Amino acid sequence: MTPTVKKLTLGVVGLGEGRSIISGALNSQLWELKLLCDLNPQLCKERAEEFKFPYTTTDMHALLADDSIDVVAFYTPDALHAEHIKLALKAGKHVICTKPLLDNLSQAKALLELAKQSDRHVFVGQSSRHFAPMIKQRADFDAGKHGPLYSVEAHYHADNRWFMKRDWTRNGGMKWLYNGISHPIDLVRWYLPNISEVMGYGLLTENGKSLGLTDPDSMHFVMTSSDGRIARVSGCYSSPTGLKLRDSGMTCILRGEKGTSQADYSDLRYSTHFSGEGSVLYDLEHLAGYYFRFGGRSHHAGEYQNYIEYFARCVNEGIRPTPDIREGIVTVATMVAMEQSLNARLPVKIADVLRQHGLEELV
């Protein structure tokens, strides 16, 4: 007999970025959407009308007190994530939190201890892992087609000046290092989880200054793992990007002793060159309707549906979903090291950052 799969119940906090997970949950057989929450009553009304889902509240504490909700998903401003995760864990909820998990490490140790005590999952919504080209690339990697991997290169380049229209970004609540670079650094750490040292340079462009940014919006980094493998990460966010055929918004390149692959986003495109196979280009654009359901390609509900269904399967099967809170904190520590390197113009070791914040157990 096929085992019965228990549907998980979901509450969503933050209905701007949370728009994609609403679509994902309503279209999934593994989830039951229970309640939507945002401080903005007009946004609650808009989402209720858009998705024909009438259950909304402006009171997050009422959502957290609802015993019928198993999981709370946070799509709130970065600076609020630590407090929101803490409240959800204390309420006995599993947590899905959009990236970055945190925008600094000041509360990381306390959150790690609370997660242990609560015996609840904290899952980081790193959606790029769950996009079709990245899924195919990971499958090829797991099948050993690349051979021993020696280099990972990832970037996220976008003209994100539209993003600066949001109140919390204009008020100094957002750094592109954490909000943007969190995508490619997660892809690098997916393949090289033991990144040990980073070195980078960055600048704040004139376009960024005109938008009120105070931190770099253009950055390039090199890094190495504890076993000597190498990686490169870059992000530029306040100017036009190149032609799609030459400059995909996000790219992950794996280089191994037996072959190379390249996964692109938001282009549904994956290319490989493995020993004995020659060069192959996979055009996955037939999946666009699943991944991009509204807002052009600025919202990617298919990835969200993929990752919440992965999370649900893990919970049902007793498997720890990743990236979890431990992996998420080390990724934040890596970004803190990257920021320190930008400021000092020197290499910075991840272990030193973890120790500075009492997180020796994660070294």
Side-chain angles (χ1 to χ4, degrees):
M1 291 180 60
T2 302
T4 301
V5 176
K6 176 185 178 293
K7 272 192 174 185
L8 292 178
T9 54
L10 180 68
V12 179
V13 182
L15 303 186
E17 289 302 300
R19 190 180 180 197
S20 288
I21 199 174
I22 296 169
S23 172
L26 288 173
N27 284 280
S28 174
Q29 296 183 5
L30 301 181
W31 288 88
E32 180 183 354
L33 190 61
K34 283 286 187 176
L35 190 58
L36 306 179
C37 177
D38 199 282
L39 288 174
N40 183 344
Q42 180 59 34
L43 192 52
C44 287
K45 180 181 178 182
E46 290 176 11
R47 293 293 174 260
E49 293 174 351
E50 178 181 9
F51 292 103
K52 298 180 174 55
F53 184 85
Y55 306 110
T56 68
T57 181
T58 57
D59 183 357
M60 183 180 72
H61 296 282
L63 183 150
L64 292 173
D66 188 334
D67 292 335
S68 71
I69 294 175
D70 299 320
V71 183
V72 179
F74 291 108
Y75 295 85
T76 50
D78 302 351
L80 301 178
H81 290 176
E83 180 65 17
H84 288 172
I85 293 168
K86 180 179 74 174
L87 291 172
L89 289 175
K90 287 186 173 181
K93 311 296 187 185
H94 294 297
V95 175
I96 296 172
C97 183
T98 187
K99 58 76 199 168
L101 176 68
L102 306 167
D103 66 350
N104 66 77
L105 291 172
S106 62
Q107 298 187 61
K109 183 176 176 61
L111 280 179
L112 187 60
E113 292 303 316
L114 181 58
K116 293 177 187 174
Q117 296 164 14
S118 69
D119 194 32
R120 300 286 90 184
H121 292 298
V122 177
F123 173 66
V124 188
Q126 288 285 3
S127 61
S128 302
R129 295 190 183 193
H130 299 271
F131 188 59
M134 280 68 178
I135 293 171
K136 284 185 68 65
Q137 185 175 49
R138 184 69 191 199
D140 283 341
F141 171 78
D142 289 339
K145 290 189 174 184
H146 298 80
L149 196 66
Y150 62 81
S151 171
V152 182
E153 300 151 38
H155 76 245
Y156 172 26
H157 299 154
D159 190 350
N160 278 346
R161 285 175 284 185
W162 62 272
F163 198 83
M164 297 305 299
K165 295 178 181 178
R166 304 177 181 205
D167 290 339
W168 71 275
T169 59
R170 290 198 305 269
N171 293 334
M174 192 273 297
K175 295 179 180 180
W176 278 119
L177 174 60
Y178 294 87
N179 196 278
I181 292 285
S182 56
H183 281 296
I185 193 60
D186 175 71
L187 291 171
V188 166
R189 292 201 64 250
W190 198 16
Y191 294 100
L192 300 179
N194 55 341
I195 291 294
S196 60
E197 185 174 279
V198 302
M199 174 68 205
Y201 294 95
L203 60 87
L204 175 57
T205 66
E206 293 301 320
N207 283 348
K209 289 177 185 176
S210 70
L211 295 167
L213 284 171
T214 57
D215 293 278
D217 57 354
S218 181
M219 295 155 278
H220 298 292
F221 297 90
V222 292
M223 50 198 67
T224 185
S225 65
S226 58
D227 56 5
R229 293 180 290 173
I230 56 176
R232 175 163 56 88
V233 167
S234 63
C236 301
Y237 301 106
S238 298
S239 63
T241 55
L243 294 172
K244 283 291 184 183
L245 291 176
R246 296 296 301 253
D247 189 14
S248 189
M250 194 183 309
T251 291
C252 182
I253 300 173
L254 304 183
R255 301 187 190 276
E257 304 289 353
K258 292 168 56 178
T260 297
S261 67
Q262 177 169 327
D264 292 320
Y265 179 99
S266 60
D267 312 282
L268 279 150
R269 187 173 59 208
Y270 175 55
S271 60
T272 62
H273 192 133
F274 299 131
S275 296
E277 294 186 11
S279 297
V280 181
L281 174 63
Y282 298 90
D283 183 348
L284 305 173
E285 281 295 324
H286 62 283
L287 300 174
Y290 173 78
Y291 282 96
F292 306 109
R293 304 173 187 179
F294 41 74
R297 299 205 172 195
S298 64
H299 287 270
H300 28 109
E303 292 166 60
Y304 287 63
Q305 185 169 337
N306 287 351
Y307 78 58
I308 63 173
E309 290 184 346
Y310 160 76
F311 180 87
R313 289 192 297 271
C314 286
V315 172
N316 271 291
E317 297 169 17
I319 299 170
R320 176 177 58 88
T322 59
D324 64 355
I325 191 168
R326 293 173 66 89
E327 185 176 348
I329 288 173
V330 177
T331 295
V332 174
T334 305
M335 292 187 290
V336 171
M338 293 161 80
E339 186 171 29
Q340 290 180 1
S341 180
L342 289 180
N343 294 332
R345 294 187 171 239
L346 292 169
V348 177
K349 294 184 181 299
I350 314 306
D352 290 344
V353 172
L354 290 168
R355 291 189 182 100
Q356 289 164 11
H357 292 86
L359 295 162
E360 290 85 355
E361 68 179 279
L362 300 181
V363 174

